[in-house]
Amino acid sequence: MKRGFLNAAPKSSKKDSYAEDVIASADAKISNGSHEVGESLLNSHGKEEESLDCATSPSLPPLTPPQAPSAQTRPIVPEPVEAQREAVPPHDAGPSSQEQPKEEVNEGRGESEASQTPPPPIAPTAEVVGDPGAQSVRVKCDCGDNPEGTSYVFLVESDDQNQHLSKSSLPSNGACEACIDGLLPGRHYKLCVAISSPSFPSSPEDVVGTAFQGPKTSFVAGPAPPETPAAPTVGGKSKTSVKLRWSPPAHSCGSAVTSYTCEVFRNPLDGGVPVATYDGPDARFEAKGLRAGTPYMARVAATNALGTSPYSEWVMVSTSATVPGIPEEPLCAQIGLGWIGVAWGPPSEDGGSSITAYTLEVEEGPEGSGYIAKYSGPNTVFVLQGAAPTVPYRFRVKASSAVGGSQFSSPLEVVGACGPTGPPGICVVERQYSHALTVAWTPPEVLNGAPPLMYQVGMRPLVEGVATNFVVVHTGDACRCDVGGLQPACLYEFVVVAVSAHGPSPPSSPSVLETACAPPDGPDPPFLVSGGPNFLHIGWRPPAITNGSPPVCFRLEAVGGDYEPVVVFEGPSFEAPLQNLQPGKALWLRVSAANALGYGPPSPTVCFTTGLLPPGPPSGVCADKITKTSARLQWEASQHDGGGVVTGYRVQCARLAGSGEEAGAPWSLMVEGVETRVCTVEKLMAGTQYTARVQAINTEGVGLPSPSVTFSTEAGPPGAPDAPTLVGDPAGCELSLCWAAPERCNGADVSEYCLQVQDLSQGGGFSALYTGCLTSFDVSSLRPGTPYAFRVRAANSAGSGPFSPSLNVTTTAVAPGPPLAVTPIAVTHNTLKLKWSPPAFTGGSAPHAYSVMVSDEGGTEAKEAWSGPTTSCKIKVFPDTVAHVSVVAFNAIGPGTSSSICSVTIPPAPVKQAPVMQPPKTLAAPNVSVKGPHSAVVSWGMGGKNKGCEYELELSVGGAEQDFASCYSGSQCIHSLQNLQPNETYSVRVAALNDAGRGHWSAVADFFTKASPGKNQNKPPGAPERLELEKAGKSLLKFRYASCPLSGLCSWHMCQVPVFELCCDLPASCVFAFI
């Protein structure tokens, strides 16, 4: 027998078996106490999962009246008397999470349960809450006295059995309520409740479940706007109308259709308004006033009392086609002499069929002469050739399509255009000149309706056969003209144009005419082939324009200011040498060419100048105003300037042989570019004999030198000696120096030397150390390790000369002096801190280390207690003694003198006091590991510095509120608790002990022993009446409940009061649900 109203034949189909599995899954989830039973009853069916909240379930069987139980199935309870109740055979679903093996079930079942049979659940009547909505309905039912764990499923089925909906619900305050979505507006439905009870044992061999179905309740879903109707269909069409019809929507959704809206668009995508609209109750519509051969799109929507449905899909329909409309009058696109171009456009209406061709007809002459077809084709332009001037022409056009041809358009009348005349006759020569021509021509033969008013003559020269642009050289009404300004023996091309009232005619055929010959033109200016101070070699080129006759002779002329030109050369050659000329002289020359007709004009005049020579030597050179370093020289100008202006003079001097010098020293350029004949020579050497000479300069170069003049400068101080040299090595504070006489004494012997010294470490200036005629000196009283600079200068009767370069010498360093001010700055019983100042005398080398020497009051030998680079230190000493301390400084040479002894009294050592023992530190809470119902292991840490301590462990039964009793004392940090009570709460604490006493007790650690395995271990617990969360921590949840103990996934403990703690290791931030 099937469950509830899911009835069918004894052999269940796949759909019925699926429904059984759905209810079996709901039974298992409710018996397990899961709060998720209301979310989905179909998740246990593998790949056929479906949400029961608001989805249509086509796999559920239709609602059927209750049937009697099958003979093949034996229910475990008597048949109830209520008509709506029906026993259901057990389903063969797998064991749930609460089911146990048969042996365990029999063992856990009490005798009282085995002797009693639980009453079967009663399926309540489902009710509709309020008015049903268009797509959802709220339902409820009274749970009555059905046992806890009974599951409730609201089932809804449409009258046509095409829609099945279901929604599960949990009891709340004795009732179940749910909202079922997915209804179809205005449909008739049946509602009932299917329930299933928990598993009740009937024998040790099997477990039987039952299911029941309540009575059905009918209701109607709320109304809504109609469904979308189907697209309209075409009932007929003409050239200007379309007939449309449509069917009512499949469902009116609970309210009858009152009217329809039909819209017809030309193109709905362009956002325009419909061209035809219908609103009324009829399901047909004829759209009129449409354009022929045009496609249209239509749609329809239905309206009832609740609103209007969405529009249907589009339907496309086209009206019938007709002949095209009459085209517009053609247009005259362009007109010319002998032709007319016309154009036209398509008609405004094509009649619904594409234009295939146009027909153009033309009437020539007076009206009524008759139209003649000139063109037929798809183009919209036509050119009529051969149109006569002043003759009228009329054009008309018609359009044709597949349906037929239109009427002819209005005619366009165009008069044939008049034009310019034909070309005149060619130009011919009447008279010929070398620079002018007289030409004539004949009038045009074709006038084109208007005689010529004037003529224009164009001419262009032909240079080496290359033609240029024509230039108008004559305008007039006669047929002849004179053209001047021409070149002799040249070719010219002439054309003529006749101008009438309608414009210029085409040009005549060109004619080539030639002018007469003439003497040649002037050649290019002559040029210099070669030249010098006394000759010129002149050249020229023949004229570019020979005027029809080649040149045979050339004439070279010299021209001047007021005198007549002088012929200096005449002949056929292109060059002429001119000899015996003066240097630097200017000569103005020009050249002329002659042919068979005579000499032509001369070339432009060019100035030629002969070359220059360097000027001659100056004369009368003398020297005066002679000093130690300068002398003034004077001279006379050169007799010959070389043809050019003297631009300056060059003065050269050379030293003559002197003491220690070679004779014939080279000339040295002293002064360049002197403009006057006076020059002062500077930077001469004192007491030296010189020779001097002068050269004149022009643009051609430097002339020959003048005769030399000799003079001597006055005597001066000697030159600088070389730097002093060191004799031997410097020893401490003494050293020996020597030097040599200067190379130049400048005309007077050296009489004495001056030696100076500078202390480079002090930064001062030089000071005199020795003055005398000797060239050596022993220096003493110097400071060791100090840098010095030495220099020397010489003096004669003219004065003291400059100092020599410096000699830098550093004296040898020595050991440093004693350190100063040795002072103690801190004294303890075993340490002494000292400071001191560097020695005043460093010995020429700064101290780089110090050594501290210490001896006791017994006079023992001093020993080194410290060494280092600083001027302070800390050393170890013996208590209750006197330390004698001295300091020695070290530099690069070695140790210096010891400082004065500093005696320091060292205090005795302080007396040590015995430490006071303190009680141990507080330990952390112990760790407890429960091993079973009667044993647990407690461990704890040593507490940091609590080494070597004893430990005391106390135990409390029933929690931390009870009294503690000692259970262990010893040095171990772990203890095993035995003989504990199962399923009991215990608390432990620990403290450390030493000779000073016991430390504070640690924090209390609670734990729960496990329950002892027994006969009723697997007995399902009853549901508690109330469960409240009392405390929540990161790893602890504490609950309070009303009556029954709980069991679940973790270990629980029951006290005398209804409080328990979840003591397993819980991760932080977790959420738990309990039912």
Side-chain angles (χ1 to χ4, degrees), residues 784-811:
T786 303
Y788 291 93
F790 298 92
R791 65 181 183 178
V792 66
R793 70 178 176 182
N796 59 9
S797 58
S800 298
F803 280 100
S804 68
S806 298
L807 170 66
N808 296 333
V809 179
T810 301
T811 58

Side-chain angles (χ1 to χ4, degrees), residues 385-447:
Q385 300 290 343
T390 69
V391 177
Y393 293 88
R394 283 166 290 278
F395 301 86
R396 66 180 184 180
V397 66
K398 74 173 182 179
S400 301
S401 66
V403 180
S406 69
Q407 298 180 6
F408 276 101
S409 66
S410 301
L412 168 69
E413 182 172 343
V414 181
V415 178
C418 297
T421 65
I426 63 173
C427 295
V428 295
V429 176
E430 287 188 349
R431 288 188 294 271
Q432 184 183 33
Y433 304 96
S434 61
H435 295 281
L437 289 174
T438 299
V439 295
W441 59 90
T442 59
E445 297 179 357
V446 179
L447 300 180

Side-chain angles (χ1 to χ4, degrees), residues 53-247:
D53 289 340
C54 58
T56 303
S57 304
S59 62
L60 293 175
L63 296 171
T64 56
Q67 298 181 5
S70 173
Q72 300 176 356
T73 306
R74 179 177 61 83
I76 63 172
V77 294
E79 187 75 23
V81 297
E82 292 81 351
Q84 74 273 16
R85 181 181 308 165
E86 182 179 15
V88 182
H91 56 79
D92 54 355
S96 64
S97 60
Q98 289 290 329
E99 291 180 347
Q100 305 292 336
K102 295 183 178 181
E103 292 79 7
E104 296 182 3
V105 173
N106 290 334
E107 184 179 352
R109 184 182 305 164
E111 295 179 0
S112 60
E113 297 178 355
S115 62
Q116 298 180 2
T117 301
I122 299 176
T125 300
E127 300 179 5
V128 176
V129 179
D131 294 332
Q135 296 181 344
S136 63
V137 62
R138 192 157 192 87
V139 297
K140 69 176 182 178
C141 68
D142 189 2
C143 299
D145 298 332
N146 289 336
E148 296 185 2
T150 303
S151 62
Y152 297 84
V153 180
F154 292 95
L155 301 177
V156 175
E157 180 184 44
S158 62
D159 283 354
D160 55 6
Q161 297 184 0
N162 289 332
Q163 186 181 19
H164 304 275
L165 305 174
S166 62
K167 186 65 176 291
S168 61
S169 178
L170 293 176
S172 176
N173 296 327
C176 291
E177 188 170 345
C179 181
I180 300 177
D181 299 325
L183 303 181
L184 299 177
R187 304 296 177 88
H188 291 264
Y189 291 93
K190 293 180 181 179
L191 167 71
C192 70
V193 178
I195 65 174
S196 62
S197 62
S199 301
F200 289 90
S202 60
S203 64
E205 289 79 10
D206 60 355
V207 178
V208 179
T210 60
F212 302 92
Q213 168 189 328
K216 304 179 181 65
T217 300
S218 299
F219 69 92
V220 180
E227 292 184 352
T228 304
T233 59
V234 180
K237 63 179 180 179
S238 65
K239 295 180 180 179
T240 59
S241 65
V242 173
K243 293 182 179 181
L244 302 174
R245 63 181 59 189
W246 55 86
S247 300

